[in-house]
Amino acid sequence: MTTTAITRIGTPIVPRIKTDPTQSARQVGRMFRDIDERYLTIKRRLKALFDERLTGVASAVNIQQGFMACNNAEGPDTLYQVNAGTFIYDMSAAQLADLLQIVQTILDDALLEGGSQNLWSLGYVGAEYERGTLQAFTNLSAQSQVYAQQTSLAQLLSSPALQNQIAAAYVATYSEWKGISDAARSDLANVISNSIGRGINPRETAGIISKRLNVSMSSAKNIAQTEQVGALREAQWLETDWARDRLGLNTMLLHLSALKPTTRTTHAFWHGKTRTTEAVREWYSIDGNRYRCYCSQIPCVVDDDGKVVNKGLMVKLAEERQQWITN
């Protein structure tokens, strides 16, 4: 009777909020607000820099031509072309190089704050590793008394394997943000050089730069969401493997898709299905599956046939998947 109690397999804990199976909306939103503030700081500092450095004079000849164009019938296209070179910048090649170096510094100050050892975004990533470990611990404890009796959360959080994984993630995270900063610098350098070469006035130049920074911010948020949710998933995958290796439990991953209108069909396909961690890792390594993904894979203890014992749960998940496909 005691043996039966110990070996009985419980039901996986499925998140209540179906559209956020990783339960990461609050954490991702917090990082998004941080990114908003960082890009606002960048814009303010660049405005002050450009007000000081992007100086020159408007071309009197072109101003007169622009006025004449306003009075003919050729329309706005003609006006745009004659105004193409209306501003002459007072800047040498050396001064431009110095300006672009300062732009890079402003970007790095905001996006690479803390450097490779203490990057500002590492705290968010580390917190998600811990939260993912907690979720896996709670879920496996509910499914297996053997696991609950022989595992402690403190043991998991301090394990060398988890700490090594977090350290590796930090290296990758810094590389991602370094790429964001470098790409923004290259983009802004092209905008500034082009504006000076074509004589686009400082006000228009500032507007173009603001829009390009918005594009960079969108990319930064994509990276942030991918990093945070990816860290949580990785922690769950690790504990799924460790429970099998340490305790001999028959563990797999149960895929839960967000099933949003924007969910990719290839992601919704796996909702309510189980796979090995190896198969899931392979899936996330191809076709950009890891980006903008809100899916979760929770650890589950399966029977000898590789099935989740609660058939009612599996039927319910299959119905949810079919309903999304139908809609």
Side-chain angles (χ1 to χ4, degrees):
M1 194 168 176
T2 303
T3 303
T4 302
I6 291 177
T7 57
R8 182 179 62 83
I9 300 175
T11 300
I13 302 172
V14 177
R16 295 179 182 178
I17 303 176
K18 302 299 182 182
T19 56
D20 184 27
T22 62
Q23 304 171 73
S24 299
R26 183 181 302 176
Q27 290 78 6
V28 171
R30 189 178 299 123
M31 193 172 181
F32 278 8
R33 289 191 292 274
D34 195 341
I35 291 171
D36 286 336
E37 286 298 319
R38 290 177 184 279
Y39 273 87
L40 181 59
T41 298
I42 290 171
K43 288 183 178 183
R44 287 172 174 169
R45 290 187 63 186
L46 287 179
K47 182 181 185 305
L49 174 67
F50 295 155
D51 285 347
E52 176 187 351
R53 300 292 187 96
L54 292 184
T55 59
V57 295
S59 170
V61 174
N62 282 334
I63 290 175
Q64 183 177 2
Q65 289 177 337
F67 175 79
M68 291 172 61
C70 289
N71 290 280
N72 69 31
E74 293 186 38
D77 286 342
T78 301
L79 177 60
Y80 175 80
Q81 290 170 9
V82 298
N83 273 342
T86 61
F87 199 87
I88 300 175
Y89 285 88
D90 182 18
M91 181 172 292
S92 66
Q95 288 171 326
L96 174 59
D98 183 55
L99 174 68
L100 296 180
Q101 183 58 52
I102 297 174
V103 169
Q104 179 71 78
T105 299
I106 290 173
L107 291 168
D108 286 349
D109 285 349
L111 302 180
L112 299 179
E113 180 186 357
S116 60
Q117 299 303 310
N118 195 31
L119 186 68
W120 65 274
S121 67
L122 299 183
Y124 294 102
V125 175
E128 288 305 278
Y129 264 102
E130 293 187 2
R131 196 166 67 86
T133 301
L134 171 59
Q135 287 185 0
F137 170 78
T138 302
N139 218 321
L140 287 169
S141 294
Q143 296 176 67
S144 169
Q145 288 188 22
V146 172
Y147 180 90
Q149 291 168 359
Q150 299 191 30
T151 309
S152 72
L153 181 60
Q155 169 196 355
L156 297 181
L157 293 177
S158 61
S159 69
L162 179 63
Q163 295 305 314
N164 288 341
Q165 189 63 43
I166 293 175
Y170 283 178
V171 173
T173 296
Y174 181 79
S175 178
E176 293 275 19
W177 284 97
K178 184 69 166 63
I180 288 287
S181 184
D182 289 347
R185 189 263 183 188
S186 177
D187 195 16
L188 297 190
N190 288 335
V191 170
I192 295 169
S193 299
N194 185 56
S195 293
I196 292 174
R198 293 180 56 201
I200 299 174
N201 67 64
R203 184 181 183 87
E204 290 182 58
T205 299
I208 297 170
I209 287 173
S210 180
K211 290 178 181 178
R212 297 310 302 165
L213 284 172
N214 288 343
V215 172
S216 175
M217 182 168 65
S218 178
S219 297
K221 288 182 176 181
N222 180 26
I223 292 298
Q225 188 272 339
T226 299
E227 285 176 344
Q228 284 184 281
V229 178
L232 180 138
R233 280 194 293 254
E234 180 67 35
Q236 302 229 33
W237 301 346
L238 286 175
E239 188 52 27
T240 300
D241 284 343
W242 295 343
R244 182 187 64 236
D245 297 340
R246 289 196 315 268
L247 305 175
L249 297 178
N250 193 9
T251 55
M252 296 185 73
L253 292 170
L254 175 61
H255 188 109
L256 300 173
S257 175
L259 299 180
K260 299 181 178 185
T262 55
T263 296
R264 284 162 278 187
T265 303
T266 51
H267 289 227
F269 169 82
W270 290 105
H271 182 73
K273 300 180 182 181
T274 55
R275 284 183 289 174
T276 64
T277 54
E278 292 80 5
V280 171
R281 288 181 189 279
E282 173 65 23
W283 185 74
Y284 271 108
S285 70
I286 62 174
D287 300 332
N289 285 322
R290 65 188 290 259
Y291 296 105
R292 297 179 297 280
C293 175
Y294 294 85
C295 299
S296 176
Q297 293 87 33
I298 62 174
C300 57
V301 181
V302 297
D303 61 21
D304 293 338
D305 296 323
K307 305 291 185 182
V308 174
V309 294
N310 190 325
K311 296 181 179 178
L313 172 62
M314 301 307 287
V315 168
K316 180 182 178 182
L317 295 176
E319 290 174 347
E320 291 174 354
R321 181 177 66 248
Q322 186 58 43
Q323 183 179 5
W324 182 87
I325 293 172
T326 302
N327 293 339

